[in-house]
């Protein structure tokens, strides 16, 4: 086998592995909507997010330490971690958790599948990464969004304009944060993913703990055991593990490729509801998931170079 052929095969293998990680991340984050719904009746949004990011931060710092890493001491890096923690966790987690107290998880899933559209708009407006966006990428974004609409169905979309408008705006604002986060996160490419995740989650915890203490007074709450288990799942799996994967994918797939997982996340949310909760499965859902897969492939596959 020639050197060129070996490089091509190796590149295809690496891409397949990264897309596999994207699938795993989408599955993990797709389950978060269900866990939030379980926790929110007895744990208010600020406390839920504070607990989620604090537990995740502790775990990530311990994991980084066992691997011989320490958090950077430079003030500029730590300031950048604050912005990352705000964009990636503190603000969107709070907005989604609050939004789901007023709208259905299906509608939240549709609205939260829009980060790739925001990334595309930011790239086209600012010119940042515009050279990487071609016709196939744009079509992929459109296919993914159409797939989300088909998968969730018309019933999920029917709540737009009739449910709490502020809750809808909150979830869309969270999607905008998710679009900005991977663009900002590219500056940490030289750091190990676990270090970036630990730094960002530590800053998110520092932001959220005092807010939760003042507004929710968590020591007065009486959460159910199911709610506590849901928050632990959100912290350990949906945050600590997910963030390590996420910051790796920012380096390997880029902002648009990483946010394309938002489409997959919506599809997994429906699949989990069908499998675990006995919700109905229709042909439109199958068609929608097919569109989602086609869209993600179009966005993440490398462009041919002359």
């Amino acid at each position: 086998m020639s050197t060129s052929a070996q490089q091509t095969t190796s590149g295809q293998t690496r891409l397949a592995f990264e897309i596999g990680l994207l699938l795993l991340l989408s599955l993990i984050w797709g389950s978060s909507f269900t866990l939030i719904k379980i926790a929110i009746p007895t744990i208010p949004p600020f406390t839920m997010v504070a607990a989620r990011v604090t537990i995740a931060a502790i775990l990530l710092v311990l994991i980084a330490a066992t691997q011989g890493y320490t958090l950077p001491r430079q003030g500029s890096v730590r300031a950048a971690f604050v912005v990352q923690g705000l964009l990636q966790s503190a603000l969107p987690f709070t907005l989604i958790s609050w939004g789901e107290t007023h709208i259905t998880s299906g509608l939240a899933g549709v609205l939260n599948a829009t980060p790739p559209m925001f990334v595309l708009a930011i790239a086209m407006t600012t010119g940042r990464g515009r050279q990487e966006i071609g016709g196939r990428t744009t079509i992929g974004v459109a296919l993914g969004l159409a797939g989300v609409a088909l998968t969730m169905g018309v019933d999920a979309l029917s709540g737009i304009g009739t449910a709490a408008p502020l809750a809808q705006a909150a979830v869309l604002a969270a999607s905008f944060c998710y679009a900005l986060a991977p663009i900002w996160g590219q500056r940490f490419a030289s750091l190990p993913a676990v270090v970036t995740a630990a730094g960002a989650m530590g800053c998110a915890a520092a932001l959220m703990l005092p807010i939760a203490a003042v507004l929710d007074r968590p020591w007065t709450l009486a959460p159910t055991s199911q709610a506590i288990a849901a928050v632990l799942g959100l912290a350990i799996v949906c945050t600590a593990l997910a963030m390590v994967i996420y910051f790796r994918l920012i380096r390997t797939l880029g902002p648009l490729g990483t946010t394309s997982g938002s489409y997959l996340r919506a599809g997994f949310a429906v699949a989990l509801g069908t499998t675990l909760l006995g919700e109905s499965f229709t042909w439109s859902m199958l068609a929608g998931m097919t569109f989602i897969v086609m869209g993600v492939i179009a966005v993440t596959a490398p462009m041919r170079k002359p």
Side-chain angles (χ1 to χ4, degrees):
M1 182 181 291
S2 67
T3 302
S4 177
Q6 290 175 338
Q7 291 175 341
T8 300
T9 301
S10 176
Q12 291 173 342
T13 302
R14 287 197 300 270
L15 178 62
F17 180 73
E18 301 303 328
I19 292 178
L21 287 178
L22 183 65
L23 285 167
L24 176 60
L25 180 63
S26 302
L27 173 61
I28 291 171
W29 275 345
S31 67
S32 66
F33 290 99
T34 301
L35 294 175
I36 290 171
K37 274 295 186 184
I38 293 172
I40 203 66
T42 56
I43 302 179
F46 290 118
T47 298
M48 184 195 307
V49 176
R52 178 178 178 178
V53 296
T54 300
I55 295 170
I58 294 170
L59 286 175
L60 289 166
V61 169
L62 291 175
I63 293 170
T66 60
Q67 296 180 1
Y69 298 125
T70 57
L71 295 180
R73 297 182 180 276
Q74 300 95 321
S76 59
V77 177
R78 293 196 171 187
F81 279 155
V82 172
V83 177
Q84 187 68 41
L86 180 67
L87 291 176
Q88 181 58 42
S89 303
L91 188 53
F93 287 176
T94 303
L95 289 169
I96 293 171
S97 298
W98 178 81
E100 285 203 49
T101 64
H102 299 281
I103 62 176
T104 65
S105 60
L107 177 56
V110 173
L111 296 174
N112 199 230
T114 53
M117 302 294 292
F118 286 122
V119 170
L120 187 64
I122 292 169
M124 297 303 292
T125 302
T126 64
R128 186 184 180 96
R130 184 184 299 175
Q131 67 277 8
E132 300 175 6
I133 297 175
R136 188 186 68 186
T137 304
T138 305
I139 292 172
V141 171
L143 280 173
L145 193 61
V148 169
L150 278 172
T151 301
M152 292 300 189
V154 177
D155 291 341
L157 293 172
S158 63
I160 294 178
T162 59
L166 284 178
Q168 297 168 19
V171 178
L172 280 174
S175 295
F176 186 64
C177 290
Y178 284 146
L180 292 174
I183 296 173
W184 182 265
Q186 287 181 300
R187 69 191 61 234
F188 305 114
S190 61
L191 296 177
V194 68
V195 172
T196 305
M201 289 305 99
C203 290
L207 291 169
M208 292 304 303
L209 282 171
I211 294 174
V214 172
L215 297 181
D216 288 343
R217 301 177 65 205
W219 55 88
T220 65
L221 302 176
T224 64
S225 57
Q226 292 91 341
I228 294 172
V231 170
L232 288 175
L234 285 168
I236 297 169
V237 180
C238 299
T239 307
L241 174 60
M243 288 301 167
V244 175
I245 300 172
Y246 171 81
F247 285 111
R248 174 195 171 97
L249 291 176
I250 290 176
R251 294 201 308 266
T252 57
L253 295 182
L256 186 57
T258 303
T259 55
S260 69
S262 303
Y263 298 146
L264 291 167
R265 182 169 66 228
F268 277 125
V270 173
L272 288 171
T274 302
T275 304
L276 302 178
L277 304 178
E279 297 174 355
S280 61
F281 188 86
T282 65
W283 287 107
S284 66
M285 291 180 183
L286 179 61
M289 290 179 183
T290 303
F291 273 50
I292 288 171
V293 172
M294 291 168 58
V296 171
I297 290 173
V299 170
T300 56
M303 299 293 291
R304 290 186 179 275
K305 292 186 168 45

